[in-house]
Amino acid sequence: MRHLISILDLSKEEIDQLIDTANDIIEFPEKYAEICKGKKLATLFFEPSTRTRLSFEAAMYELGGNVLGFSEAGSSSTAKGESVSDTIKVVSGYADVIVMRHPKEGAPLVASMKTSKPIINAGDGGHNHPTQTLADLITIKREKGHFEGLTIGLCGDLKFGRTVHSLVEALSRYENVHFVMISPNELRMPDYVKQDILKHGNVTFEETTDLEAVLGKLDILYMTRVQRERFFNEADYIRLKDSYILTPKKLELAKEDMRILHPLPRVNEISVAVDDDPRASYFRQTLYGKYIRMALILMLMGVSL
Ligand code: CP
């Protein structure tokens, strides 16, 4: 019985296997259409979501299974004071696999200790978002062909943006990956990521506030939204929210084969005029996210063809 709490719960070989399965699902969806018949997936979302929740639900339906759950804490008995532990114990009797998003860091880990069903972390506070990382990895693999040797720009809110923390953890395991971290000083990558993951793993990185100065050397530009919900002070959010806005003019500085990723939702940080650029991969990324989540459900439930 497996959980997915951190992307490091998966080996590189398992990530390759998930990408291979997702690619097979993309090519031969009919083979998988009934594979989870009679199985149920619960989506427990204590925080808002569009892509993660709906892609998991679509994933389970496309595998022939069923879905139950809630999309906000206020419509569950959490509003009456029920603990996460009690909620998980109860839902474990109703579902075969549980997907959970929670504003508190570590909540999915606590949940995993209270159940015999697989728990999938769909985002815990500013900490981790491993299934977004799987969506990011399959996108990079499909669009660039490999991970090794890539120069990856991470731009925006690197302090609170949980997707970049998980992505750095995942990509640091590949040879000769170089990170360029582009953020305002107040939103720099946390020290634990730089010390424990990058320096500990001898992964090279640089930090800058200037996107245009580094754009020309990037193979991947991973844009992120400034995370309003994690700020204590609205004035700070207003001051920082438009620090970076990617436009067609700025993209003239980028390589022709660079790819632009974004976990979405987008606010202002990528101009809609960029969407028609062939380098814009972020909507394809949302679709690949559904297929890799299908592969993950199969892996954690131990289901094979
Ligand atoms: N990328 C992502 O987690 O999007 P949602 O918040 O819409 O799920």
Side-chain angles (χ1 to χ4, degrees):
M1 214 271 298
R2 299 275 305 269
H3 305 290
L4 179 65
I5 305 300
S6 153
I7 194 68
L8 297 182
D9 292 338
L10 296 168
S11 66
K12 280 168 68 176
E13 292 71 27
E14 286 174 321
I15 288 174
D16 287 343
Q17 189 189 329
L18 286 172
I19 292 174
D20 287 347
T21 304
N23 285 332
D24 196 58
I25 295 170
I26 291 169
E27 202 169 345
F28 306 107
E30 64 288 350
K31 280 195 326 197
Y32 297 86
E34 307 250 328
I35 195 167
C36 283
K37 199 167 176 184
K39 302 287 185 192
K40 283 173 282 184
L41 174 138
T43 51
L44 311 187
F45 277 65
F46 298 86
E47 260 196 350
S49 168
T50 296
R51 274 146 295 276
T52 312
R53 185 172 67 84
L54 296 182
S55 67
F56 263 115
E57 295 189 0
M60 194 54 166
Y61 285 126
E62 290 184 32
L63 293 169
N66 290 301
V67 175
L68 64 157
F70 54 82
S71 58
E72 52 178 328
S75 65
S76 75
S77 285
T78 304
K80 298 182 231 165
E82 187 166 60
S83 68
V84 167
S85 297
D86 284 0
T87 303
I88 290 297
K89 282 183 197 160
V90 171
V91 176
S92 298
Y94 304 154
D96 301 289
V97 55
I98 300 169
V99 181
M100 176 182 172
R101 172 173 288 187
H102 200 283
K104 283 212 175 98
E105 284 86 355
L109 179 63
V110 170
S112 71
M113 296 166 181
K114 304 290 177 189
T115 177
S116 56
K117 301 292 168 62
I119 296 283
I120 300 175
N121 178 4
D124 60 329
H127 191 214
N128 270 317
H129 193 349
T131 69
Q132 178 62 49
T133 303
L134 291 175
D136 303 339
L137 293 175
I138 187 175
T139 306
I140 294 171
K141 190 74 182 282
R142 285 181 69 94
E143 307 231 344
K144 298 298 289 183
H146 58 94
F147 303 118
E148 294 78 7
L150 293 177
T151 297
I152 315 270
L154 306 168
C155 179
D157 184 350
L158 308 187
K159 179 178 179 184
F160 296 118
R162 58 193 172 196
T163 64
V164 290
H165 305 158
S166 294
L167 186 59
V168 166
E169 281 188 320
L171 286 173
S172 293
R173 296 191 286 186
Y174 294 90
E175 293 293 316
N176 297 322
V177 168
H178 177 68
F179 291 101
V180 182
M181 300 174 179
I182 309 143
S183 71
N185 282 323
E186 294 96 323
L187 298 178
R188 285 167 68 171
M189 187 65 81
D191 282 340
Y192 86 86
V193 176
K194 289 186 282 192
Q195 293 296 334
D196 300 353
I197 302 169
L198 296 172
K199 287 187 180 160
H200 183 72
N202 290 322
V203 181
T204 60
F205 69 95
E206 59 194 283
E207 293 181 283
T208 179
T209 57
D210 189 346
L211 171 61
E212 280 147 282
V214 294
L215 202 43
K217 64 177 165 185
L218 304 181
D219 300 306
I220 299 286
L221 172 59
Y222 193 95
M223 295 294 294
T224 63
R225 158 182 81 90
V226 175
Q227 306 266 308
R228 180 180 202 158
E229 65 274 32
R230 314 223 185 273
F231 273 74
F232 293 111
N233 180 334
E234 180 75 1
D236 284 345
Y237 168 72
I238 304 266
R239 182 168 52 81
L240 293 169
K241 71 184 176 68
D242 291 330
S243 298
Y244 302 101
I245 300 178
L246 189 64
T247 61
K249 181 76 185 155
K250 286 184 192 160
L251 273 178
E252 288 172 12
L253 299 168
K255 292 181 189 173
E256 280 303 308
D257 64 349
M258 189 189 79
R259 288 291 180 270
I260 308 158
L261 275 68
H262 191 311
L264 304 181
R266 154 178 63 183
V267 185
N268 276 335
E269 57 281 355
I270 301 179
S271 151
V272 290
V274 171
D275 295 358
D276 295 330
D277 189 303
R279 292 171 287 190
S281 304
Y282 33 91
F283 288 113
R284 294 191 290 278
Q285 191 180 349
T286 64
L287 195 54
Y288 299 143
K290 178 184 72 174
Y291 294 114
I292 198 106
R293 287 178 175 114
M294 290 171 80
L296 178 68
I297 291 167
L298 297 179
M299 177 186 273
L300 294 185
M301 291 181 56
V303 178
S304 55
L305 282 174

